[in-house]
Amino acid sequence: MSKPLIALTEIILPIAVALYFFGWIYTYYWLEYFGGDVSAIDLNIYFIIVYSFSVLSFFLEILWNYIFNIISGFSVLMSIFLIVIIYLLIVRYFRDHASTFISRLASPVVYAMVFVVIITGGYFISREAGIAKAHEIRRNPQQLIYFVLKKNGRPDDPIFDGPFQNWNNGYQLYKITATKDFYIVLWQSSPGEVGWVFEIPRSSVSAAQILMRNDPAVRRDQ
């Protein structure tokens, strides 16, 4: 394997591992909010990687809001500027005066510290992004879903012949997500109020209809 390819692999592999970690934490917390277990749901690795970009988007949104809020705070910006200058002076001092041993030790220690900071910070950001996703679904569910259940394959639970059937027939169920084995759907009396979450086996479903809400943006583009 050529050196450029090895170098590229050494860059891409840690990034891919970090993205998978962030995406898994994000998925875990927003499913856990609805009582789901990410370990029991067969989500492909590429779905997890895609979800990690929701974490990055969430982080950038927070960062932008923070910058926007302090952009007029001259004293805060000056403080940041001074911290950066002091940091550069310290780095330069140690670069010029540190012993060979300290210089060799510094790189692994710095890399380890950066790794710990990224993983720890990424965990908390991913968790908050996942919880925010769950809250957004409760506040503003988008996809109404209606099921045609198989007569001989419906789940063996009385609730599927009672409240669920009424909510299903009344178009009051909202799709949370779907895997290759289950539909996960939500019923709630009103946004944020008491609700039920159902895992509907695909094997029990003859057909599923999803009602798309009005989208003014689409009409404007016409």
Side-chain angles (χ1 to χ4, degrees):
M1 187 179 293
S2 63
K3 289 183 178 180
L5 189 57
I6 293 175
L8 184 62
T9 302
E10 290 176 349
I11 294 172
I12 292 177
L13 184 59
I15 293 175
V17 170
L19 290 177
Y20 181 84
F21 174 75
F22 299 154
W24 195 93
I25 295 296
Y26 169 84
T27 307
Y28 172 85
Y29 275 100
W30 80 261
L31 283 178
E32 192 269 343
Y33 178 93
F34 293 106
D37 184 356
V38 69
S39 63
I41 298 174
D42 186 16
L43 290 175
N44 292 314
I45 185 171
Y46 48 83
F47 277 125
I48 301 295
I49 296 294
V50 169
Y51 286 149
S52 70
F53 287 93
S54 295
V55 177
L56 297 179
S57 175
F58 181 79
F59 171 72
L60 291 175
E61 183 178 351
I62 292 176
L63 183 62
W64 169 250
N65 289 336
Y66 177 77
I67 293 174
F68 183 79
N69 289 333
I70 70 171
I71 198 70
S72 60
F74 180 77
S75 60
V76 177
L77 295 178
M78 284 300 297
S79 298
I80 295 174
F81 178 75
L82 290 175
I83 290 172
V84 171
I85 294 297
I86 292 171
Y87 171 77
L88 293 175
L89 291 174
I90 292 173
V91 169
R92 182 173 180 178
Y93 174 82
F94 275 99
R95 185 187 300 165
D96 295 339
H97 298 88
S99 64
T100 303
F101 174 76
I102 295 177
S103 298
R104 290 177 178 176
L105 182 64
S107 292
V109 170
V110 170
Y111 291 149
M113 291 176 62
V114 169
F115 176 79
V116 169
V117 168
I118 290 176
I119 293 299
T120 304
Y123 166 83
F124 286 108
I125 293 172
S126 301
R127 183 187 68 180
E128 293 304 312
I131 294 173
K133 166 74 172 179
H135 289 171
E136 178 61 25
I137 291 174
R138 291 296 306 275
R139 279 193 303 268
N140 187 30
Q142 292 295 315
Q143 294 183 326
L144 284 166
I145 188 167
Y146 171 79
F147 296 103
V148 178
L149 297 176
K150 297 177 181 177
K151 292 183 178 179
N152 298 326
R154 68 176 59 237
D156 186 18
D157 192 321
I159 198 170
F160 287 97
D161 293 318
F164 174 85
Q165 195 65 30
N166 294 332
W167 298 330
N168 186 44
N169 291 336
Y171 291 90
Q172 298 175 31
L173 297 175
Y174 294 94
K175 177 187 168 195
I176 297 175
T177 190
T179 71
K180 69 177 185 179
D181 297 318
F182 293 96
Y183 292 97
I184 302 178
V185 299
L186 165 71
W187 173 86
Q188 56 185 1
S189 55
S190 61
E193 297 296 331
V194 174
W196 287 86
V197 175
F198 299 90
E199 288 186 356
I200 311 299
R202 283 183 179 268
S203 59
S204 299
V205 176
S206 294
Q209 301 173 350
I210 295 177
L211 175 64
M212 303 299 294
R213 290 183 177 274
N214 292 331
D215 191 340
V218 174
R219 294 198 300 270
R220 285 197 303 267
D221 293 338
Q222 292 180 345

